[in-house]
Amino acid sequence: VSESSSPEQILLDTESGKLLHDRLFKALSPLEAKVFELYLADASYAEIGEKLGKDIKSVDNAVQRIRSKLKRII
């Protein structure tokens, strides 16, 4: 947030971000939602796969589907 942002703009940005988050998570499968949460937490594909019991290719495929869904929402 820049120093010149008004309180109103900060609120709108926050609300827009929450709306986008909510719309995206409604579009994601349970696996995609878990992958996305871990991805946002800076986990590597290998770490995500290990935590979810999936191979790296499955994680990569989920990330590609997430990106596709996000592009459609935006």
Side-chain angles (χ1 to χ4, degrees), residues 1 8-26 36 40 70 73-74:
V1 177
E8 294 85 3
Q9 188 60 50
I10 293 169
L11 178 63
L12 286 174
D13 291 346
T14 302
E15 288 298 314
S16 295
K18 182 175 178 352
L19 224 153
L20 176 62
H21 175 275
D22 291 349
R23 286 183 65 196
L24 178 61
F25 272 85
K26 284 180 185 174
F36 191 53
L40 290 177
L70 182 57
I73 290 171
I74 294 175

Side-chain angles (χ1 to χ4, degrees), residues 29-40:
S29 71
L31 172 64
E32 291 165 348
K34 290 175 187 173
V35 167
F36 191 53
E37 288 174 355
L38 292 168
Y39 183 81
L40 290 177

Side-chain angles (χ1 to χ4, degrees), residues 26-66:
K26 284 180 185 174
L28 298 179
S29 71
L31 172 64
E32 291 165 348
K34 290 175 187 173
V35 167
F36 191 53
E37 288 174 355
L38 292 168
Y39 183 81
L40 290 177
D42 286 331
S44 70
Y45 283 18
E47 291 168 332
I48 295 170
E50 187 176 310
K51 288 184 181 190
L52 300 180
K54 302 289 181 184
D55 61 30
I56 291 174
K57 186 63 181 164
S58 294
V59 172
D60 181 55
N61 289 341
V63 171
Q64 297 310 315
R65 289 191 306 273
I66 292 163

